Amino acid sequence: MSEKTVLVPVDDGPLSNDALEYALDRNPDAEIVAFHAVDPAEASQFIAPGAGVPSEAYWSEIAEEAENRAEDILADAREVAESRGREIRTETGHGQPVRSVVEHAESLDADEIVIGSHGREGISRVLLGSVAEGVVRRAPCPVTVVR
């Protein structure tokens, strides 16, 4: 039988590091795959209202910044694993995060997804973050949500 594969979506938040640490600690013999989805929709937050259609050069710069940010996030994930004496695989996807995570889990035939949730207070504490919730609803395998 092949070894277990655990997919851990990562971003630059502390809860994704917690999820990665959890996955490493709970799955000492598994292949851990840290995955970051580069979301093109995030670029729209940098467009001023009424600014018109950005140039191709603008989009190229935004795409390059997003790729650099993804590599930094994945480098941080590798450091977390190395601090625990482990090696992990890191991969990047493109598109809406929920869809990217679910599709990547399917392509890996992942046995589990370990994802960080939002640590909110009050009534919203009951709700998962939108990405975690979407992954839980659509995942092709069991999902562990780490808070």
Side-chain angles (χ1 to χ4, degrees):
M1 185 172 175
S2 64
E3 71 181 20
K4 180 178 180 180
T5 301
V6 179
L7 180 65
V8 184
V10 293
D11 60 20
D12 56 1
L15 289 174
S16 77
N17 274 346
D18 292 347
L20 180 57
E21 291 172 352
Y22 178 92
L24 290 163
D25 291 346
R26 297 293 174 121
N27 300 283
D29 298 324
E31 177 182 33
I32 306 294
V33 180
F35 176 76
H36 180 74
V38 176
D39 185 3
E42 287 182 19
S44 64
Q45 70 182 331
F46 301 110
I47 301 171
V53 178
S55 69
E56 187 175 323
Y58 171 83
W59 288 116
S60 293
E61 184 178 326
I62 292 296
E64 185 177 336
E65 287 177 19
E67 293 295 330
N68 290 339
R69 180 173 170 258
E71 187 49 46
D72 289 345
I73 289 167
L74 294 173
D76 289 345
R78 286 188 295 272
E79 287 178 18
V80 168
E82 287 171 11
S83 74
R84 288 179 148 52
R86 298 278 304 274
E87 287 187 20
I88 60 171
R89 198 163 95 201
T90 58
E91 298 179 355
T92 304
H94 296 84
Q96 194 277 336
V98 172
R99 178 175 290 142
S100 292
V101 169
V102 169
E103 289 175 356
H104 206 67
E106 290 170 347
S107 72
L108 290 173
D109 195 23
D111 297 290
E112 180 181 11
I113 298 170
V114 177
I115 189 168
S117 175
H118 287 78
R120 296 182 176 155
E121 297 299 321
I123 190 72
S124 60
R125 189 176 83 183
V126 176
L127 305 173
L128 296 176
S130 60
V131 172
E133 180 180 9
V135 169
V136 166
R137 290 180 185 270
R138 295 175 182 90
C141 58
V143 178
T144 300
V145 179
V146 177
R147 295 186 0 157

